[in-house]
Amino acid sequence: ADDDMKEKAGEMMAEIGRAYKTLTNAEARDNYEKYGNPDGMQTQSMGIALPRLLVEAHTSPFVLALYGLIFGFIMPFYVGSWWYNSTRYQKDRILNTTMATFFKNIREHISQRNLIELLTAASEFAEDDLKYDPSEEAALNAIVEKSQNVSRRHALENFTPSKKFTSKSAWKANVLLHSHFFRVKISDAKLADQQQQVVMTALTLVHRGLLQISTGHNWYSCSNLLMGISQMLVQGVCAYDAPIIQLPGITWETQHKLYEEKKLYSVNQLMRMPAPEQRETLQVLSDKQFSEAIQVAKTIPRLEIARAMLTVVGDKVITPSSIVTLIVKLKIANVKGKIVPREKGVPVADIESIESEDTAAIENFVANYKKKADKQSPSEAYCPYFAGRKDSQWWLCFASYQSGKLVVPPVRINDLESERVIVLQFQAPPQKETYRFHVGVKSDSFIGCDILQEVQMTVVDRTELPTEPPVVDDISEPEEDSIAAQMAQLRGQQAGARRGADDSSDEE
C-alpha cells in the first residue's frame, strides 16, 4: 500500500511540475497551447477502423471473400475504366484520335466539301450508338439515292462517298449529314434519331475542334468555311441555298420558284417590302403559312456595323509597331422593343458620336467601355431541323486583305441582344504603308445575316507625331527665412569651402 501511495505521489508531483513549467515557461506554454503537452509534440499512432465482423474469430469466409471481391476487383475495375475514358478525351470532350485526324488532314486552302468529309472521319461516329451496323446498309443506300436525286434536280453538288475516308462509320455519318443538308426525310426511326445525334455531335466538333485548329493557324478562308458549315448544320441547308429557305413553308421547289418569278432571295429583301407586296410575293403559301413565315422573318436578326475604327489610343496617327485598337460597334436593327440603355452614371460618350481625331474622347471610351456594357441575353434561334435548343451567337473576324490571315483570333459573341461594342488590340506592321482589312461578322445559326466591311489603316513615320509641348519649370526660389533657403545657403557655403580648400592645395 505504501508503494502505491509513493507511486501516486510521484505521478502527482510530475503533473504539478509540468503545470508549473507551463505557467512559468513561455516555450512550454506555447507547446501546451499547440499540442496539449508542455514538452511539445508527442508520438502519434494512426490506424484503420475495420468492422467488427471482419476481425472476430467466427467471421464467415464468404464475408471476407465479398470484401476481397469489392476492394480487390470491382473498385479497381471501375477506377481503371474511369481513368482510361478520361485520358481518351481532351479538355473540350473530343477524342484524342479525332483531334489527331483533324490536325493531320486540315489545310489552309481546303474546300467545304473536303471539310465535311474530314468532319465525318471523327472517331465519335464510330462509337456507341452511332457506329455502322451492317443491317443498316439497305436503308442507308436508299437515303443516298434520295439525296442524289435532290442534288441532281436542283443542280447542286452531287453527293458521292469520300475517296479519302473510306471507313463504314465515316460513310454512314456522311450520308446522314447530307440527308440533313438536303432535308431528305428518313423513314427509319432509328436512323432518324441517329441523324440528329450526328448533327449535334458534328456542331460540337466544328466549334471546339476544327475551328480551334484553323483559328490557331490564323487561317481566315478555312475558318470562314467552317462557320458556314455551322450555319448549315443548324438550319439544315446546303452551302448555296437562298436565305429565304429558312422560313416555314418554303421548300426546295418554292425557293427556286420565288427566285425565278419574283427575284426573291433573302429574308431582308422580303422584310423591306410593303405588307401587300409581301403577300403577293408569297402567293405560294397559304394565309396561315404566310403569317408564320412573316413572324419568323421578324425574329431573324438584321445586323449592322454601326462603327468600325482603327486608332492608337492617345495619338492621332498610327506609327510602325505601335499598339492599334480596333473598336467595332454592332447593332441589331430589328430588335424587339426599345434598346436597353447602358449603365447610368458612367460619363462615356457613344462611340458613334466620337470624331476620329478626338483622341481624348476615344481614350476615355476605351478605358470605360467594359464598365459601361450590360450583360445581355441572346435570343433563341429558329431552327426546326435542329434537335436541340440553339441560342443565336456570332463571330467577329478581323483579317488582313493582303495576306488573307486573321490578325487576331475570332471573337465569339454570345450575348448580343440589341447592340455591343468590341474592342481588340494588335501590333501595327513595321513598314510604312496603307493596309486594308476586313471586319466580318458571321452568324453561327442563320444564313444570309453575315456582314463584311473594309477598313483601311495608314502607317506613317514617327516624325509625323505632334511634338510634345516643352515642360515649364515654374518652381520658385525659396524665401530667405524658410528652412529650404537656409539649407540651400548652407550647401552653397560648404561647396565654397571645399572649392577654397582645393584651390589652396593646388597653389601649394
Side-chain angles (χ1 to χ4, degrees), residues 209-437:
L210 290 171
L211 255 177
Q212 295 286 346
I213 301 172
S214 179
T215 57
H217 288 88
N218 295 326
W219 296 339
Y220 177 55
S221 60
C222 181
S223 301
N224 195 55
L225 290 175
L226 287 169
M227 295 172 189
I229 293 175
S230 173
Q231 298 173 355
M232 294 164 58
L233 290 169
V234 174
Q235 291 296 330
V237 295
C238 291
Y240 305 106
D241 277 341
I244 198 72
I245 200 174
Q246 298 171 106
L247 300 182
I250 305 296
T251 62
W252 285 94
E253 289 74 14
T254 55
Q255 171 193 215
H256 290 279
K257 185 176 180 181
L258 289 171
Y259 182 73
E260 291 174 359
E261 298 180 1
K262 306 292 183 178
K263 303 302 179 185
L264 180 61
Y265 179 77
S266 68
V267 177
N268 291 338
Q269 182 184 355
L270 174 67
M271 297 310 294
R272 286 194 296 266
M273 297 178 181
E277 187 177 351
Q278 290 176 348
R279 187 66 190 98
E280 182 184 356
T281 303
L282 297 181
Q283 290 179 350
V284 293
L285 302 181
S286 65
D287 291 340
K288 183 179 179 181
Q289 289 176 330
F290 172 76
S291 177
E292 292 177 355
I294 294 299
Q295 291 299 320
V296 172
K298 291 178 180 179
T299 65
I300 295 179
R302 189 167 71 252
L303 194 67
E304 298 175 352
I305 298 180
R307 184 72 183 273
M309 176 192 300
L310 288 170
T311 182
V312 174
V313 177
D315 291 335
K316 292 186 178 181
V317 295
I318 300 175
T319 55
S321 301
S322 58
I323 301 301
V324 184
T325 300
L326 169 67
I327 306 174
V328 180
K329 181 173 182 180
L330 305 176
K331 272 186 177 181
I332 295 182
N334 60 333
V335 65
K336 291 183 179 180
K338 188 177 180 181
I339 293 178
V340 180
R342 299 293 182 174
E343 183 180 350
K344 297 180 180 180
V346 181
V348 180
D350 191 346
I351 191 62
E352 292 184 67
S353 61
I354 298 177
E355 298 292 335
S356 301
E357 295 78 15
D358 193 348
T359 57
I362 294 174
E363 185 174 1
N364 185 42
F365 178 86
V366 173
N368 294 281
Y369 87 98
K370 288 186 178 180
K371 302 177 184 177
K372 187 180 178 184
D374 294 336
K375 184 69 176 178
Q376 302 181 26
S377 300
S379 58
E380 183 178 354
Y382 175 79
C383 46
Y385 290 89
F386 190 73
R389 183 185 186 277
K390 182 72 180 67
D391 289 335
S392 178
Q393 300 181 4
W394 306 82
W395 283 288
L396 173 66
C397 300
F398 183 63
S400 170
Y401 179 83
Q402 284 92 335
S403 65
K405 297 278 189 177
L406 291 166
V407 179
V408 293
V411 178
R412 186 75 180 272
I413 307 171
N414 53 15
D415 59 349
L416 177 59
E417 183 181 11
S418 56
E419 62 181 39
R420 176 79 185 276
V421 175
I422 308 296
V423 177
L424 302 173
Q425 288 187 327
F426 63 97
Q427 190 172 20
Q431 294 84 16
K432 296 181 295 180
E433 192 180 335
T434 297
Y435 297 89
R436 298 166 61 190
F437 297 96

Side-chain angles (χ1 to χ4, degrees), residues 66-111:
L66 178 61
Y67 272 90
L69 179 64
I70 293 174
F71 291 104
F73 295 96
I74 297 178
M75 185 176 291
F77 173 77
Y78 279 103
V79 171
S81 300
W82 169 82
W83 176 254
Y84 171 73
N85 289 327
S86 63
T87 55
R88 295 178 64 212
Y89 291 89
Q90 295 194 339
K91 63 177 183 178
D92 293 321
R93 301 301 300 166
I94 297 178
L95 288 169
N96 291 322
T97 53
T98 296
M99 291 301 291
T101 302
F102 289 170
F103 269 108
K104 183 179 178 181
N105 294 278
I106 193 170
R107 298 291 183 269
E108 179 178 6
H109 303 291
I110 185 173
S111 67

Side-chain angles (χ1 to χ4, degrees), residues 131-185:
K131 63 183 179 182
Y132 171 79
D133 187 347
S135 62
E136 303 167 342
E137 182 80 20
L140 289 171
N141 285 327
I143 297 173
V144 170
E145 185 177 354
K146 291 180 181 179
S147 299
Q148 290 176 340
N149 290 336
V150 172
S151 63
R152 285 193 294 267
R153 188 184 313 130
H154 301 290
L156 301 172
E157 187 176 15
N158 191 30
F159 169 66
T160 55
S162 173
K163 296 180 180 179
K164 186 172 185 179
F165 306 105
T166 57
S167 69
K168 285 294 187 179
S169 297
W171 174 72
K172 176 183 176 181
N174 204 0
V175 170
L176 295 179
L177 278 183
H178 277 82
S179 64
H180 175 69
F181 297 148
F182 293 143
R183 296 187 177 181
V184 172
K185 188 175 181 180

